[in-house]
Amino acid sequence: MAAPQDQVPAVVDAVCLGESMVTFLPSRPGRLADVPSFGRGIGGAESNVACALAAAGHRARWVGRVGADGFGDHLVDAVAAYGVDTSAVQRDPHRPTGIYFRTATDREADGFEVVYYRTGSAASAMSPLNMPLDVLAAGRVLHLSGITAALSADCLALMRTLTARRPGRPLVSFDVNYRAHLWRSEAEGPGVLLDLARGADLVFVGEDEAQAAWGVRGAAEIRRALPEPDVLVVKRGAAGATAYTRAPRDSRDTDTVTDTDTDTDTDTVTTVPALHVDIVAPVGAGDAFAAGFLSATLRALPVRERIRHGHLMAAAALTVPGDLGTPPSRAHADRLAALDADAWGTLRLGPGWTGTTPGADDQEVRTP
């Protein structure tokens, strides 16, 4: 049960706002019609980020709304078990907690199915009128995602409020998370997401979703479409990730700059290759990457290390069955993030590499 809001701590490292749902995971591969049973878990882009940040040693708060039902109890308890502050989560006696079912296959694969029961959920009623704006602003970082904007007109109004540029606001982090099926019309989502991203300070977007939503190809074109954020991180799948950071030309780190044809002369462009990962389940990697990048940002690490911590946190998620992997210890992650380019390129990570099993710290495998 959420604590009264007068007990909410004044300041945390990161506040993450969004809908979390109970997810039912199949006991075996196959069509939903053929799966005989499901295991229960939790899912939600923003609560995933909060859980990963808390597991990495940060003070993280998840804010949202759930029903006054058993699923809501489970969600709040499960997120809090990661060390996340859930004291500002609201309970709605009239609307249910959202749930969904999915198949065991990757969402990009043929035969993937997901069925949401979230219409009219407690989270869809979030608005600027019922959410604690002072609590949302009481973090060094406020992390949001485009999923929230798609839930309802009230949720969109809240997102517009939180991404409006104003003095004294926290660093606003925005993961585009374009999900075409969530929007009321195909024409609405892309424009809304572009507007919200332009109001953020730090934006995460995949090359594939930028092409699907806005018809732009390649990291440089995405930066041209989104010149406003101080930091733009373009996730490029197996090619790695590229970060555009606004900084004076004379402050650039020439070891991590890649020349591009961007229109501005104040961007440092940093590209870091992806890791070789023995994937157990291809879910949760995007949220984990955002958490790793944010963790390193909160620690004021250089941009190259921020991207590398993003890749490492994503590898922690990819090498476990569920959405949330236990991150490596900070010392372990820092050691890997500090490798030279050749050593980073030959690193291979598999199940247990984070140190959650005996001897796992020694399970990085160098490829030839």
Side-chain angles (χ1 to χ4, degrees):
M1 184 70 67
Q5 289 185 13
D6 59 4
Q7 297 179 22
V8 174
V11 178
V12 293
D13 292 325
V15 177
C16 304
L17 168 81
E19 179 172 35
S20 189
M21 294 178 290
V22 172
T23 175
F24 289 92
L25 309 174
S27 57
R28 70 183 191 194
R31 301 185 311 151
L32 288 179
D34 301 328
V35 174
S37 60
F38 297 80
R40 184 179 66 175
I42 62 171
E46 303 84 4
S47 59
N48 284 349
V49 172
C51 290
L53 284 171
H58 297 281
R59 297 167 299 165
R61 174 183 298 149
W62 169 56
V63 181
R65 302 183 90 244
V66 298
D69 50 34
F71 288 142
D73 293 341
H74 173 67
L75 268 176
V76 173
D77 290 346
V79 173
Y82 281 88
V84 175
D85 170 19
T86 58
S87 57
V89 175
Q90 298 179 358
R91 308 302 296 267
D92 190 323
H94 305 296
R95 298 176 179 86
T97 303
I99 65 173
Y100 72 98
F101 296 77
R102 67 170 175 83
T103 50
T105 52
D106 181 5
R107 64 167 49 94
E108 303 298 332
D110 291 338
F112 175 75
E113 298 173 75
V114 60
V115 180
Y116 291 97
Y117 297 91
R118 72 196 310 179
T119 301
S121 69
S124 70
M126 292 188 295
S127 79
L129 300 179
N130 62 20
M131 299 308 292
L133 300 182
D134 57 336
V135 174
L136 293 172
R140 295 169 58 194
V141 171
L142 172 61
H143 181 69
L144 310 168
S145 111
I147 293 173
T148 304
L151 299 181
S152 69
D154 283 342
C155 284
L156 176 54
L158 176 62
M159 292 291 288
R160 291 196 187 281
T161 297
L162 296 175
T163 56
R165 295 188 179 274
R166 62 185 183 279
R169 75 175 190 178
L171 185 150
V172 175
S173 166
F174 181 73
D175 193 336
V176 172
N177 262 328
Y178 177 50
R179 302 287 186 267
H181 64 275
L182 291 180
W183 290 90
R184 291 166 288 281
S185 72
E186 292 185 6
E188 180 184 19
V192 167
L193 293 175
L194 192 61
D195 286 345
L196 294 174
R198 286 172 171 164
D201 303 302
L202 165 59
V203 172
F204 299 97
V205 64
E207 273 189 324
D208 54 348
E209 63 183 343
Q211 182 176 344
W214 306 319
V216 295
R217 295 173 178 268
E221 289 294 331
I222 296 171
R223 182 51 161 171
R224 274 192 276 271
L226 275 173
E228 294 87 357
D230 291 334
V231 180
L232 172 67
V233 182
V234 180
K235 296 174 291 183
R236 304 170 59 206
T242 297
Y244 293 80
T245 52
R246 185 165 295 121
R249 182 179 291 275
D250 59 8
S251 69
R252 296 182 181 187
D253 179 353
T254 56
D255 289 335
T256 61
V257 173
T258 302
D259 290 334
T260 70
D261 57 351
T262 50
D263 293 336
T264 176
D265 63 357
T266 60
D267 265 345
T268 300
V269 185
T270 310
T271 297
V272 176
L275 287 163
H276 301 284
V277 179
D278 296 328
I279 297 174
V280 172
V283 293
D287 301 331
F289 180 93
F293 192 96
L294 287 171
S295 174
T297 298
L298 287 163
R299 296 171 59 201
L301 297 183
V303 174
R304 185 190 72 163
E305 277 66 33
R306 297 181 194 189
I307 301 174
R308 285 188 169 190
H309 277 277
H311 285 319
L312 290 165
M313 195 79 86
L318 289 169
T319 50
V320 296
D323 286 15
L324 292 164
T326 301
S329 69
R330 185 168 289 186
H332 188 193
D334 284 347
R335 178 172 65 83
L336 296 181
L339 292 173
D340 62 37
D342 289 340
W344 177 266
T346 59
L347 191 65
R348 190 179 193 100
L349 303 177
W353 76 270
T354 64
T356 55
T357 58
D361 271 4
D362 299 323
Q363 291 187 22
E364 302 100 51
V365 179
R366 306 293 188 203
T367 57

